[in-house]
Amino acid sequence: MVLVVSSALSATASPRPWLEEKYSVSRTGFYPGNWSWDGRRVVDYNVSVILRAGLCIAASPVILDLNRDNVSDIVVNSCDGFTYAISGGDYRVLWKKRTGLGLVSPAAADLDGDKVPDIVIAGPGVLFSFRGSDGAQEWVVKGLFYKATPGIADVDCDGKPDVVANTLDGKVAVISGNGNIEAWVKVGSQEVSIPAIGDVNGDKCPDIVVAEDNHVHVVSYSKGSWKVYSLGLDARITGYPSLYDVNGDGVLDVLIATPNYLYAIDVKDHELLWRARVTGYSYSSPSIGDVNGDSMPDIVLATTDGIYLFNLYGKLEKFFRGVNAAFGSVIISDVDGDGHNELIVARYDGEIDIVDLTSSENYYDGLEFAYVTQGPIMKPAAIGDVDGDGVPEIIVGSRDFNLYLINPVTAQSAATNTTISPSKASTRTPSTTTITAKTVTRTTHASGASITTGTSKHPIQAANTTSSRISQAQGTPVSFISGASSGLPSPNYGLLAGLAVFLGVVSALTLLYVKKRR
């Protein structure tokens, strides 16, 4: 029996040291890739449906070059049980595989060293690896894997990438690139969150950071065994961690939220840096990047009550009440080429927003673009150049069965009458809609009084971690090829699974009724 020991954090007292446990587990990214564009001025946005799935798309896409044609492609899961690989440029389906319920995002990295990205997908009780180029299955691992996006990184520092998967019963699984289970590390007894992976203890080897119940667990490998550090927080954690060097000491810190507080934790020095009061549930992770144009990173947390903006010292800068993007982390990136980051917000009410807060202190006054889908958006968008024009596009799925492409129209492309090609990703007739900025008219505004940002004592650089919402401080967008943190968990997979099954049964009965009528 494994006893997990934690130290509770007090609002007034200094935190107790983290208590270490050693496990005699034998040893038997997700990797970010920067892209940039020349900042051509965006004058409009086109919206196209590039995939009509059989059921909802409640997962984030992954953008990467599958066939080495120098144009990024798209991999996305659907509630219809299939994983789709979609070709960039013409948006035809390269391959699709039945993998399960499809409520979470895939992860991607070259696991076998053949220079071709591999796609790792967690399904009900199974973990798949497919070759990205043609969808050929490379391995499958069966076990109690929960439906959450795996992490990919070299967590045992042997020079080869590993797959990190969570379970329902308090374990973290470490799997080699060829599908062999390296270790089962027990951290608790309940569902384990999506992992964040990065060096949080300063030993130069990536660590695994997960949430479980009301605990944060850090799993580290050293000298042939795994160590687990556990810290108890004030309430059950519904989201999962982000990693960022908050205090500027050169080692990543942990950012994670409960329904009461946003915590910044220094694992290396066993110290609570700060905690900031929040309300509402967050089912994702905090995002980090310069939001207000002062060249200092901000921390953005979306909850069911609204969107919070904090500085690196935990001081509240803005709060936008009523903007519910709690199911998917806010993306911070420069998507219009003006040199400043925007917020890309995927909302539960089905709306996708692009908001510039460098020129406005109010959410809706800073709204550059909005588009409303016909269903809730459960996960954040993905950003990347999927048509080869050097300008990043936004890809987002909706519970209305559609995968949307939001394509920035620049002054140059508008002058040459550039248009988006019709979708070839589905046998159904695709729809293409052109919309202009600020198409949604609001009668009420969120409250967002500006609070002066504190001055940092040290320069802050964006961390190279598994947090897909991190952007560099100077506004350069960052693109990621793994869903380790772009795939975000829903709060209640049982409910979502039941809904998906219900929709499937309704569809089947409808088809049967139509056939009988004929």
Side-chain angles (χ1 to χ4, degrees):
M1 178 178 178
V2 177
L3 175 65
V4 177
V5 184
S6 65
S7 58
L9 294 178
S10 169
T12 56
S14 299
R16 304 171 190 170
W18 288 45
L19 301 181
E20 176 182 326
E21 294 180 350
K22 294 183 179 179
Y23 296 87
S24 299
V25 182
S26 303
R27 261 187 75 194
T28 41
F30 140 99
Y31 305 106
N34 294 345
W35 54 261
S36 61
W37 59 300
D38 59 11
R40 284 170 275 170
R41 185 169 61 91
V42 172
V43 296
D44 207 344
Y45 293 89
N46 286 337
V47 179
S48 299
V49 173
I50 59 173
L51 175 69
R52 173 74 175 177
L55 280 174
C56 64
I57 298 178
S60 293
V62 174
I63 296 176
L64 72 170
D65 186 0
L66 295 174
N67 47 18
R68 295 195 237 181
D69 62 355
N70 297 318
V71 177
S72 294
D73 308 301
I74 305 158
V75 180
V76 68
N77 287 343
S78 169
C79 301
D80 63 11
F82 288 96
T83 297
Y84 296 84
I86 302 167
S87 174
D90 58 8
Y91 312 118
R92 60 189 174 87
V93 174
L94 295 172
W95 52 263
K96 74 174 186 177
K97 296 290 180 178
R98 182 175 292 280
T99 53
L101 195 56
L103 292 173
V104 296
S105 305
D110 181 11
L111 296 176
D112 51 17
D114 64 355
K115 310 301 181 183
V116 176
D118 304 293
I119 311 299
V120 181
I121 300 164
V126 68
L127 196 69
F128 297 96
S129 175
F130 298 101
R131 189 167 56 216
S133 58
D134 57 8
Q137 182 175 303
E138 297 187 311
W139 50 260
V140 59
V141 176
K142 295 183 179 180
L144 191 59
F145 293 103
Y146 195 48
K147 294 177 286 295
T149 302
I152 303 178
D154 180 13
V155 294
D156 56 9
C157 283
D158 64 353
K160 300 176 183 178
D162 306 293
V163 177
V164 180
N166 71 340
T167 70
L168 278 173
D169 62 348
K171 297 187 184 73
V172 174
V174 180
I175 302 164
S176 67
N178 60 10
N180 293 325
I181 296 179
E182 300 276 347
W184 290 95
V185 184
K186 187 172 179 61
V187 299
S189 60
Q190 300 189 37
E191 172 193 339
V192 178
S193 75
I194 289 175
I197 303 176
D199 180 14
V200 297
N201 59 13
D203 66 355
K204 309 302 181 184
C205 187
D207 307 297
I208 305 166
V209 183
V210 295
E212 180 262 341
D213 193 25
N214 67 324
H215 288 80
V216 176
H217 303 286
V218 177
V219 181
S220 299
Y221 181 83
S222 177
K223 299 179 181 179
S225 66
W226 297 89
K227 300 176 182 179
V228 177
Y229 303 82
S230 301
L231 187 66
L233 303 184
D234 69 280
R236 184 176 181 272
I237 303 166
T238 54
Y240 54 94
S242 289
L243 306 181
Y244 191 82
D245 184 6
V246 174
N247 58 4
D249 65 353
V251 179
L252 299 176
D253 305 300
V254 177
L255 290 163
I256 194 164
T258 71
N260 303 309
Y261 297 99
L262 171 64
Y263 290 87
I265 304 167
D266 182 343
V267 175
K268 179 176 68 70
D269 294 330
H270 301 172
E271 179 184 1
L272 172 64
L273 297 174
W274 49 260
R275 69 177 186 178
R277 192 74 172 90
V278 299
T279 61
Y281 290 86
S282 177
Y283 299 105
S284 58
S285 62
S287 308
I288 304 95
D290 178 19
V291 172
N292 55 15
D294 64 356
S295 297
M296 293 299 300
D298 307 290
I299 301 169
V300 182
L301 177 70
T303 77
T304 50
D305 283 354
I307 296 178
Y308 290 86
L309 272 64
F310 297 94
N311 66 17
L312 291 182
Y313 299 102
K315 182 178 180 180
L316 180 66
E317 296 177 322
K318 295 182 177 71
F319 175 54
F320 304 116
R321 188 180 303 278
V323 182
N324 182 359
F327 293 85
S329 299
V330 175
I331 297 175
I332 303 172
S333 187
D334 180 15
V335 293
D336 64 3
D338 65 353
H340 300 291
N341 287 330
E342 287 78 44
L343 299 181
I344 297 89
V345 183
R347 300 171 52 156
Y348 184 71
D349 61 7
E351 181 172 314
I352 180 80
D353 294 341
I354 300 175
V355 184
D356 184 354
L357 295 179
T358 62
S359 58
S360 172
E361 296 180 355
N362 185 281
Y363 184 92
Y364 293 111
D365 289 342
L367 191 66
E368 291 188 347
F369 167 87
Y371 183 78
V372 181
T373 71
Q374 299 303 305
I377 300 178
M378 302 298 296
K379 299 294 169 61
I383 302 177
D385 180 12
V386 296
D387 59 8
D389 65 352
V391 177
E393 286 77 45
I394 299 171
I395 313 294
V396 65
S398 171
R399 294 293 293 267
D400 65 4
F401 299 16
N402 292 326
L403 183 66
Y404 293 90
L405 169 72
I406 301 172
N407 193 345
V409 178
T410 65
Q412 290 90 330
S413 61
T416 56
N417 295 320
T418 301
T419 58
I420 295 179
S421 301
S423 168
K424 298 180 181 178
S426 172
T427 56
R428 307 185 188 191
T429 303
S431 61
T432 301
T433 306
T434 301
I435 65 178
T436 58
K438 294 189 179 181
T439 54
V440 177
T441 301
R442 301 285 180 178
T443 56
T444 59
H445 285 193
S447 59
S450 176
I451 299 177
T452 303
T453 305
T455 303
S456 176
K457 298 178 181 178
H458 46 260
I460 302 294
Q461 298 297 327
N464 182 8
T465 74
T466 57
S467 176
S468 66
R469 275 72 53 196
I470 293 176
S471 295
Q472 294 177 348
Q474 299 303 319
T476 303
V478 178
S479 177
F480 295 85
I481 62 171
S482 166
S485 53
S486 59
L488 308 175
S490 299
N492 188 331
Y493 278 111
L495 178 62
L496 293 177
L499 179 59
V501 172
F502 172 74
L503 291 173
V505 171
V506 170
S507 299
L509 291 176
T510 301
L511 291 173
L512 181 61
Y513 174 76
V514 170
K515 288 181 179 180
K516 288 184 176 181
R517 293 276 296 182
R518 290 177 178 175

